Amino acid sequence: EQEEATKNTLEEGMDDDNDELVFPLAGMNLFDCPPRLRFAPSPTGSLHVGGARTALYNWLSAKKGQLDFPRENSGFIVRVEDTDLARSTKESEASVMADLKWLGLDWDEGPMDSEPSFGPFGPYRQSERDVIYKKVARRLLREGRAYRCFCSQEELEEMRAQQEAAGIPPRYDNRWRDADPKLVEQKMKEGVPYTVRFKVPEGARVVIDDVVRGTVAWDAESTVGDFILLRSGSGVPVYNFCVAVDDAMMGITTVVRAEEHLTNTLRQALILDALGAPRPRYAHCSLILGEDKQKLSKRHGATSCNQFRLDGFLPDAMINYLSLLGWNDGTDNEIFSREELVESFQLERVVKSPSVFDMDKLKWVNSQHMKAMSVNDLKDLVKEQMFLEEMIVDGADSQGIENMAFSATALAKQMMETTKDAALNAKQVLGYGLPPSFQDMSSDEHKEALDMIKMGNFFKIAMAIVEDFEAGKLPLPNADDAMESFLDEQGNYAGEYKDAMKKLAKSVKTKGRNFFHPLRLALTGEMSGQDVAKQLPLLELSKGVVVPDMIIEIPERMQRLKDFCESIPEEFRNPIKAETKSKENTASSQSSTSGDSAAAQTNPSTTTVVDPWETYTGPPITALDIRVGKVLKVWEHQDADKLYCEEIDVGEETPRQVASGLRPYLKAEDIEGRHVLVLCNLKSRNLVGFPSHGMVLCASNSDHTEVRLVSPPVDAKIGERVTLHDVDFSGEAAEPFAENKIGKKKVLQALAPYLVTNDYGIPEFLGRPFMTSAGACTSPIPKGSVS
């Protein structure tokens, strides 16, 4: 019945010359027309990266056109190409539309959920445009530009076999192209199924000026032969026929799509020419590859837009990154807002070489967009991730959920690359990663912690913490003030915690990394992370909100810690004392009496531990104004092959410009966006014509063949001054020297021999680590120098 209805639809109007076909752009110069672009997904699956980039390029071009042609018919059209009835589903269509909405690629014309479509040229689903395609087919048949072919499937297969046997490329041999009209009429009366084929003009040659690929040409007659417009039996129109008709009747000025559609352009151009409709401009974008240089697919990881949403990427960051997969604005800029992309985008700047999808780069772009947002802007997205991670208990108080989401976001904001990172970080903070016993520690997984425990400080510090807890001396956050740790940088609990830890450090006679690393492991079960004084309040805020099985509260942590300490072997329960001699002791030993020497030999285990600070006589370390900075931009110096030029935010009204000799050691992308330490009270000077004001601190090995950045903790404050543990940086006496004094007195040169990294790569001055409000600074180079 359906086939009969389809045939009747085609045949009933064959003698009617009034099939009105309107091509809005007929007779116009497309370059003078308001841009109309379309994204035409097939609803057979999810919207993937390649399709999303195609949609984006079309959307950007259309939106830019709306700026250039206000109050005209420019627009971004979504057209659903669902002629593949076997594979197309409403579920897939809904999924694609939802992804476009998530990306913010709103369309001006297209299908709607509750109605067939909105816009002057609908319907916008090909499955709803059958009558239109039959009108066009009738017109082509009447004008002799198409014909009926009654070949059976068996005949076509025999034709193919004969051509292959003769070494001829398989193609239709045009046997019904000029058939006797009486024979055609007889076949139709007999009800023999037929296809409608397009009659390719003899000698036809199609040439397009592709915006991306340049001039592309085909010899049509030898390339495609007479191709099908309507299928046999069902009368269903084929893809290329539908696309050409829709582009003509919807007034599409520019077609932007993937290069795999380039070969379709030949058939579509022939149909458009036969209809007397103008061809749109074409721009065929290269494929997106995985890091193995193969076409991007599921085996490379997440490729669907919905998965990126679930993984915590921002829609603005996604379109920013997708725009860069084949396009740039001619500058080194890589971070764009949506409005900046609309303003900057030009199809002429899309390159034809394939782009490689780099997940790390996407995460970096995402992190840059998140850093520009406030905690309040991000908290609802983090809350969504917490629900996706099934962290929230059923029936949790809505305000409690809001507080938990806000706090988890504030805690992780500087380190997270996706909103999911904040939820995963919260899960780790609420848990307790310390193994049940020392014997359960893996030499691979827990190597850093194992090495630290074997140094002997952990046992005494951990036991002191347990004792303080059992005696009620360990300060703990409570429900009344837990939120203040995330709203106020100087909250009451943070102060109480720091005061208590200072007392604890004095009681165990340990300081610096030998104190803070064991302290962190004992309280959090981890060797690294955010400020402990902020992690512990999160435990309080999680009560009644987070699934209880995910939370290890302080009493249980203390019991686990106590049990763990009992399993530590005796040889790791006492600190390993470093043997350090002062200059005075060295000198006195050289002039000591033989009796003293004999006494020393008699008691060889006697060691003298001397703080090098006591014998230091150089300029004060407080003379240096070292601050936490963020590198906003990096570019290569035009006239110096070893220099980078950098723009760095150090907490001042305007960013500093600094030149560094890092070009031989680091890539620009490894520096841009990083938090660094900047020596700020150096006098401004020109370096090969570039005004440089400051110096980025780096660590290097002994022969300077390896140079790396010194890094502050991720949640250190931009512009804060770097201090040393147990050194007073307050008051007038600790004010940094003036810029001219640093140079004239050669202060930096005098301090330089004492600016080093220790065995763990931590930058130090006379054994005191470089500190920020968020903890100690680090570098990947142990036993190096800092300059």
Side-chain angles (χ1 to χ4, degrees):
E1 291 175 357
Q2 182 179 356
E3 289 177 8
E4 191 61 35
T6 301
K7 281 187 275 188
N8 288 342
T9 303
L10 178 64
E11 301 302 337
E12 282 175 1
M14 277 307 301
D15 297 326
D16 184 1
D17 291 333
N18 296 320
D19 281 333
E20 184 180 2
L21 301 177
V22 178
F23 305 130
L25 302 181
M28 297 185 183
N29 183 341
L30 296 187
F31 288 94
D32 297 331
C33 296
R36 289 177 54 80
L37 294 97
R38 49 74 166 181
F39 175 58
S42 297
T44 57
S46 303
L47 180 63
H48 290 267
V49 166
R53 183 190 65 172
T54 298
L56 173 63
Y57 283 4
N58 280 284
W59 184 86
L60 290 171
S61 298
K63 293 304 170 187
K64 190 173 181 64
Q66 289 174 338
L67 294 177
D68 296 337
F69 294 85
R71 297 181 298 279
E72 299 213 28
N73 205 24
S74 180
F76 174 59
I77 296 97
V78 171
R79 186 176 74 215
V80 178
E81 297 186 341
D82 56 353
T83 53
D84 188 344
L85 301 178
R87 297 175 60 220
S88 298
T89 67
K90 288 295 182 184
E91 293 77 14
S92 289
E93 179 185 319
S95 172
V96 170
M97 296 303 188
D99 288 337
L100 289 175
K101 289 178 181 177
W102 175 70
L103 288 169
L105 304 183
D106 51 301
W107 51 95
D108 303 294
E109 301 171 29
M112 296 180 66
D113 296 334
S114 56
E115 300 177 30
S117 58
F118 65 94
F121 302 108
Y124 292 90
R125 293 184 183 92
Q126 288 183 342
S127 60
E128 298 168 358
R129 296 172 62 82
D130 190 73
V131 172
I132 296 173
Y133 303 134
K134 296 302 190 296
K135 277 186 179 183
V136 177
R138 285 197 296 267
R139 173 172 161 178
L140 292 174
L141 285 167
R142 282 197 304 270
E143 294 177 352
R145 298 179 186 276
Y147 60 91
R148 296 172 181 85
C149 169
F150 295 91
C151 287
S152 65
Q153 188 62 36
E154 291 77 14
E155 289 178 292
L156 293 173
E157 290 174 358
E158 182 182 354
M159 184 190 308
R160 171 182 286 271
Q162 290 175 350
Q163 289 171 339
E164 288 178 345
I168 302 172
R171 52 173 287 178
Y172 178 64
D173 64 3
N174 298 351
R175 63 182 60 179
W176 282 93
R177 179 184 174 109
D178 298 309
D180 187 333
K182 292 182 179 179
L183 179 59
V184 172
E185 185 177 351
Q186 178 186 337
K187 290 286 187 180
M188 290 176 65
K189 287 180 179 179
E190 294 173 356
V192 177
Y194 63 84
T195 60
V196 174
R197 288 183 178 270
F198 181 82
K199 185 182 288 186
V200 177
E202 293 182 5
R205 181 175 174 80
V206 171
V207 181
I208 64 168
D209 185 15
D210 192 282
V211 179
V212 175
R213 319 199 79 77
T215 301
V216 183
W218 296 272
D219 182 337
E221 192 175 10
S222 63
T223 302
V224 294
D226 291 352
F227 53 90
I228 294 173
L229 301 180
L230 303 181
R231 294 184 178 91
S232 176
S234 66
V236 173
V238 300
Y239 169 78
N240 281 308
F241 182 44
C242 295
V243 170
V245 170
D246 292 344
D247 285 345
M249 301 194 73
M250 293 181 182
I252 302 301
T253 62
T254 308
V255 171
V256 182
R257 56 190 179 186
E259 67 174 330
E260 57 199 18
H261 289 284
L262 183 60
T263 55
N264 292 328
T265 308
L266 169 57
R267 292 173 175 83
Q268 293 165 20
L270 289 168
I271 294 168
L272 290 167
D273 291 351
L275 292 172
R279 298 180 196 168
R281 297 171 71 213
Y282 292 99
H284 288 90
C285 305
S286 295
L287 296 176
I288 300 175
L289 308 179
E291 293 186 16
D292 60 357
K293 304 301 188 292
Q294 301 299 310
K295 184 180 178 181
L296 190 67
S297 64
K298 290 181 180 179
R299 64 190 174 85
H300 293 103
T303 59
S304 73
C305 287
N306 188 53
Q307 189 59 55
F308 287 113
R309 179 184 70 81
L310 295 175
D311 287 343
F313 289 91
L314 304 178
D316 278 6
M318 281 299 301
I319 69 166
N320 184 165
Y321 179 68
L322 290 173
S323 73
L324 301 176
L325 294 177
W327 170 87
N328 67 77
D329 70 343
T331 73
D332 294 331
N333 189 24
E334 292 186 303
I335 302 301
F336 296 89
S337 68
R338 193 176 294 261
E339 294 73 22
E340 289 169 339
L341 282 174
V342 171
E343 183 65 31
S344 303
F345 186 79
Q346 292 179 317
L347 276 175
E348 288 74 13
R349 292 202 60 83
V350 175
V351 299
K352 62 181 177 181
S353 56
S355 300
V356 175
F357 189 89
D358 184 342
M359 182 62 77
D360 290 336
K361 183 67 171 290
L362 170 59
K363 288 181 178 179
W364 177 78
V365 171
N366 200 61
S367 72
Q368 300 308 301
H369 279 266
M370 289 196 299
K371 286 173 183 176
M373 299 170 69
S374 69
V375 173
N376 271 318
D377 292 334
L378 290 167
K379 69 176 176 60
D380 285 342
L381 297 171
V382 172
K383 179 170 66 176
E384 179 185 3
Q385 290 296 326
M386 294 172 77
F387 275 103
L388 290 172
E389 290 294 316
E390 300 180 344
M391 293 176 63
I392 307 302
V393 69
D394 291 340
D397 172 67
S398 60
Q399 188 57 53
I401 297 173
E402 288 294 315
N403 289 345
M404 184 67 194
F406 182 94
S407 304
T409 306
L411 186 64
K413 186 173 186 297
Q414 290 301 321
M415 54 75 66
M416 63 183 187
E417 294 180 310
T418 67
T419 55
K420 187 174 185 175
D421 288 343
L424 296 178
N425 181 70
K427 286 175 75 171
Q428 184 181 63
V429 168
L430 298 178
Y432 189 62
L434 190 69
S437 70
F438 180 85
Q439 290 71 28
D440 289 320
M441 299 191 84
S442 161
S443 58
D444 294 327
E445 183 182 357
H446 304 104
K447 183 180 185 305
E448 186 181 3
L450 264 176
D451 291 344
M452 186 266 292
I453 292 171
K454 289 178 180 180
M455 295 295 291
N457 289 303
F458 178 80
F459 178 82
K460 67 174 183 177
I461 293 170
M463 290 306 298
I465 291 171
V466 171
E467 290 170 9
D468 277 1
F469 171 74
E470 292 175 343
K473 296 179 181 178
L474 183 67
L476 300 175
N478 58 64
D480 294 333
D481 61 11
M483 271 299 290
E484 75 173 13
S485 296
F486 304 100
L487 296 171
D488 182 359
E489 294 291 342
Q490 302 299 325
N492 291 334
Y493 176 68
E496 293 171 6
Y497 172 83
K498 289 176 182 177
D499 289 343
M501 293 308 106
K502 283 182 181 179
K503 292 177 183 177
L504 183 63
K506 288 182 179 179
S507 70
V508 296
K509 298 179 180 178
T510 309
K511 54 190 175 181
R513 62 182 174 83
N514 291 329
F515 176 74
F516 288 108
H517 284 189
L519 176 69
R520 178 180 290 278
L521 181 63
L523 289 174
T524 70
E526 304 292 339
M527 285 293 292
S528 61
Q530 298 86 28
D531 190 346
V532 176
K534 290 187 177 182
Q535 291 194 39
L536 299 184
L538 197 69
L539 283 170
E540 188 65 35
L541 292 168
S542 69
K543 293 177 182 177
V545 176
V546 175
V547 175
D549 289 348
M550 294 184 179
I551 307 169
I552 307 298
E553 296 190 35
I554 295 295
E556 185 177 349
R557 293 185 183 204
M558 294 299 98
Q559 185 57 54
R560 289 191 185 186
L561 180 59
K562 189 174 183 179
D563 294 342
F564 181 88
C565 287
E566 290 175 357
S567 71
I568 296 177
E570 287 291 336
E571 65 264 33
F572 303 135
R573 295 190 178 192
N574 294 300
I576 299 173
K577 291 187 177 181
E579 183 172 320
T580 309
K581 296 185 177 181
S582 68
K583 296 178 181 178
E584 286 183 5
N585 289 335
T586 302
S588 64
S589 66
Q590 292 173 350
S591 60
S592 63
T593 63
S594 58
D596 292 333
S597 300
Q601 292 172 8
T602 305
N603 197 3
S605 63
T606 301
T607 60
T608 304
V609 179
V610 177
D611 187 343
W613 194 272
E614 297 176 6
T615 60
Y616 174 72
T617 58
I621 186 63
T622 54
L624 302 183
D625 182 15
I626 302 173
R627 296 187 222 161
V628 175
K630 179 182 177 182
V631 182
L632 304 177
K633 188 176 180 182
V634 180
W635 65 98
E636 295 178 352
H637 196 298
Q638 292 184 346
D639 302 316
D641 58 7
K642 293 184 179 181
L643 291 182
Y644 280 130
C645 301
E646 296 138 7
E647 193 174 273
I648 307 177
D649 180 3
V650 292
E652 297 172 335
E653 187 175 350
T654 58
R656 293 268 188 120
Q657 287 194 325
V658 178
S660 68
L662 293 173
R663 201 159 149 193
Y665 307 101
L666 296 171
K667 296 179 180 178
E669 55 264 33
D670 295 332
I671 304 173
E672 192 163 290
R674 286 279 299 271
H675 285 62
V676 294
L677 298 190
V678 182
L679 178 56
C680 290
N681 56 338
L682 291 180
K683 195 171 182 180
S684 180
R685 57 184 180 139
N686 281 334
L687 290 179
V688 197
F690 180 78
S692 179
H693 193 191
M695 181 174 73
V696 176
L697 294 189
C698 297
S700 59
N701 58 1
S702 58
D703 58 1
H704 294 280
T705 56
E706 187 176 6
V707 177
R708 295 292 182 269
L709 294 170
V710 173
S711 301
V714 291
D715 45 359
K717 302 173 198 172
I718 302 298
E720 73 168 292
R721 191 179 178 193
V722 174
T723 61
L724 300 185
H725 183 64
D726 278 350
V727 177
D728 187 5
F729 273 71
S730 61
E732 292 184 12
E735 284 292 315
F737 284 8
E739 292 179 355
N740 59 348
K741 187 174 180 181
I742 288 284
K744 287 181 179 179
K745 299 287 187 179
K746 298 185 178 179
V747 173
L748 184 58
Q749 292 92 319
L751 290 168
Y754 304 97
L755 300 175
V756 298
T757 59
N758 64 18
D759 293 349
Y760 298 94
I762 295 175
E764 294 182 339
F765 177 77
L766 298 179
R768 271 80 170 164
F770 284 24
M771 299 294 294
T772 70
S773 61
C777 302
T778 59
S779 85
I781 297 181
K783 297 181 180 180
S785 59
V786 175
S787 60

